[in-house]
Amino acid sequence: MTENTQQQTAPTTELPTQYAPAEVEGPLYERWVERGYFEADAKSEKPPYTIVIPPPNVTGSLHLGHAFEHTLIDALTRRKRMQGYETLWQPGMDHAGIATQNVVERELAKEGKSRHDLGREAFVERVWQWKAESGGQISGQMKRLGDGVAWSRERFTMDEGLSQAVQTIFKKLYDDELIYRAERIINWCPRCLTAISDIEVEYQDDDGELVSIRYGSGDAEIVVATTRAETMLGDTAVAVHPDDERYRHLVGTEIELPLTGRRIPVVADEHVDPEFGTGAVKVTPAHDPNDFEIGQRHGLPNLAVMDERAVITAHGPFQGLDRLEARSAIVAALRAEGRIVAEKRPYVHSVGHCSRCKTTIEPRLSMQWWVKVGPLAKAAGDAVRDGKVKIHPQEMEKRYFDWVDNLHDWCISRQLWWGHRIPVWYGPNGEVVCVGPDEQPPAGEGWHQDTDVLDTWFSSGLWPFSTLGWPERTESLEKFYPNSVLVTGYDILFFWVARMMMFGLYAMDGTPPFHTIALHGMVRDQNGKKMSKSFGNVVNPLDWMDEYGSDAVRFTLANGANPGVDVPIGEDWVKASRNFANKIWNATRFALMNGATIEGPLPDASEMSATDRWILSRLNATVAQVDALYEDYQFAKLSDALYHFAWDEVFDWYVELSKTAFFAGGEQAKVSGRVLGEVLDVMLRLLHPIVPFVTEALWTTLTGRESIVIADWPKDSGFRDAAAEAEIENLQQVVTEVRRFRADQGLQPGQKVPARLELGGTALAAHEAAIRQLLRLQPEGEGFSATASLPVAGATVALDLSGTIDVEAERKRLTKDLAAAEKEKAQANGKLGNEAFLAKAPDNVVEKIRTRLAKADEDIARIQAQLANLPQA
């Protein structure tokens, strides 16, 4: 164990009879912040441990996903702080360009205004005003959860320092010809009127229509199918596979495009799948990313037929119609001309929607700014391949490589007003000037700045080093970069993690932004179903915190956190975690009232009972186990280990076994009181990173010291006592087996039964009083008759059950159960002895039958023993 160097006052045994989280958590957190426990000193000589918070949106509030991720990060940082590291958990928020602009635009709409009524400068000022008044409520909710972040270092992606970092890296990338402007297909939201990133597109199955249309006529006839008939107005070719014999005679010729009066070429392109549909596809380069690539390969014109609001602009009868209105009108016109070959309604297919406003996105040809990701992505892939960065769990590496090895250039411009404005100025004669943070933009008539802003992921990609003062070489940057670990969901492995890797390696001279990427899964409901408002299963973690306490929510989340695996969670599990917190409270309160203390050194092992040595041996083994699991990010396993050590071994066994000594008083009571104090001290410190509030309240009461937050993390002293562990395991076997027998005989837990303990010369003899107390066994007394005898662990427990049970009724019940078990065994043996069955049955089916057979054998042995132990008639 470790020695704690905190100032110590006299410990107290005074604890309220019940744990009330609502009364404890708030004041404790305020005290932690006031005392600066979570702050990080760049001048410290302690080794650094750095984690950044995945910056939540300024518009957001704490949801279960946040609570889950923050619990894991907080557990890691609290442990490292206790281990003596200079720990920085970097907080901050993302300006969330499109989400925040939408919020403020909705407010303006209530006033009957739009952003255009205010103008750009006044609108941006209005957004800053909204942030000051309403943004960032999540910060207060993070405090409710217990997040131990360095609040004095809180950053915002639009603050002055981070804005300078954004402008600096844009200029550097531009000068290195890694940023360029080009016309390409992008995801476009006709409602938000901006390009959006892939991660801002949500795909869902929609009921649409699949229409097969006949282009051309006679020998020059091709049928194509589409779910977006309105885009045919912009078709500039039909494509077929070069090896498709059906269309070979048409390649290089032109066919008629219905409704338009235009003729378009038939081109051969290997992108076309000849086995899919008719083997021919319409090509609309201005409105489809794959068609754009075909168009580039064949020099096809890009004919845009919709404006930014998805209204048809093509000359003709459909001009001015919304895309969906045009779709119906065009299909009707084609039908009237006899051009419709087939129609399928409803046709369920995956459709992209804007994640903010739910509008169906429109692929659109647009002039945008792009990052040339090739060399950046290669460096990001190599950093993992070379072992500079480890991905945990390792099986996620393949998904990472699949992404970074196939990255397309990144569209970074957004047609918004809220965000980092692109630092490029255009001159009256076509000049283009990129301006760095220390440079003056060109002035004079005709010069103007680009109106677009940068994708939010551009600034959040700089997060691990921009928050530390980059581009300045600050003390914080030197101390805390690179981050020790990034804890984030696998769902943004591609979007956020890959961008941080690319920018970190590029800006920091080849040093990656973190040593380890620890990926976790998504929180789901108790049935494993995705949480969604439409499903009605979304849970507000604040409601659970109000009802059960923050520790209960945190422990439930950590207890489900297997690396890279989704986490089911239900209210019943939070209730169970609340019960665990209450158990810790009540057991510690009992221990304090019965002599548990940390005063003075631990007694020598020779002065301790076997029970004392056993619990200390188990304690040290648990310390070693928990440490190993933390290093492997196995939160579920370490939470489970701590739960069973605390509840099963400390509270259910050690405390119960020690009651005899406590009630008897004397020297052994003092020894056990000191051992129990040691166990509680270490156990509470082990539990603290996951359940910080209840452990703080109990530990400071137990020790009289300032705070468990700055306590030393326990170390395995190496103390092990195999003999004591074996002795107590035997005792546990005796108690467990007799309890099972009592339950099988229908005895109530508190019902006392006369018994003779034949412990012989075994070490169990020293525990006779404890065994009798735990099993409610009375002394033999006069007229004792051993009607049941249980041999277990080298001892024999003889019980007098005369007058306590209906022997004949019990014999009939057990005989019936025995017959059922023997029938189960016979059926399993029959299948396992059938060679024909074994040859055909899957391995898992055979294994299940073997398991059933083993279970039947166990049941038969148990029931026969129970029958043998019944009193004779």
Side-chain angles (χ1 to χ4, degrees), residues 422-537:
I422 289 176
V424 172
W425 271 255
Y426 304 105
N429 300 310
E431 301 95 336
V432 179
V433 177
C434 181
V435 178
D438 300 321
E439 300 171 350
Q440 290 298 319
E445 186 176 349
W447 283 93
H448 64 280
Q449 187 178 357
D450 196 301
T451 57
D452 288 352
V453 301
L454 287 162
D455 177 13
T456 295
W457 295 100
F458 191 93
S459 52
S460 60
L462 315 180
W463 193 248
F465 52 93
S466 63
T467 52
L468 297 173
W470 187 90
E472 302 298 325
R473 281 284 173 179
T474 62
E475 285 183 320
S476 290
L477 188 65
E478 296 292 339
K479 177 73 174 180
F480 295 113
Y481 186 91
N483 285 198
S484 306
V485 61
L486 173 75
V487 178
T488 192
Y490 63 69
D491 59 323
I492 55 174
L493 173 63
F494 320 126
F495 305 104
W496 186 45
V497 179
R499 282 155 173 70
M500 286 191 290
M501 285 285 282
M502 291 191 295
F503 281 166
L505 290 159
Y506 174 74
M508 298 300 292
D509 303 319
T511 302
F514 16 75
H515 297 301
T516 301
I517 302 168
L519 297 170
H520 59 72
M522 304 295 100
V523 178
R524 296 182 176 271
D525 71 13
Q526 62 190 26
N527 299 313
K529 192 174 183 179
K530 180 182 177 181
M531 287 193 176
S532 167
K533 290 180 181 178
S534 61
F535 296 154
N537 61 351

Side-chain angles (χ1 to χ4, degrees), residues 72 154 201 207 286 288 468 471 597 622 640 668 673 809:
L72 305 187
E154 187 174 14
V201 178
D207 286 344
D288 184 276
L468 297 173
T597 179
T622 301
D640 188 64
Q668 187 55 51

Side-chain angles (χ1 to χ4, degrees), residues 212-214 331-341:
S212 297
I213 309 168
R214 177 169 51 83
V331 170
L334 288 167
R335 191 183 298 115
E337 289 192 5
R339 292 282 182 177
I340 300 296
V341 176

Side-chain angles (χ1 to χ4, degrees), residues 599-611:
E599 293 182 12
L602 269 176
D604 188 79
S606 61
E607 302 175 40
M608 298 180 192
S609 67
T611 307

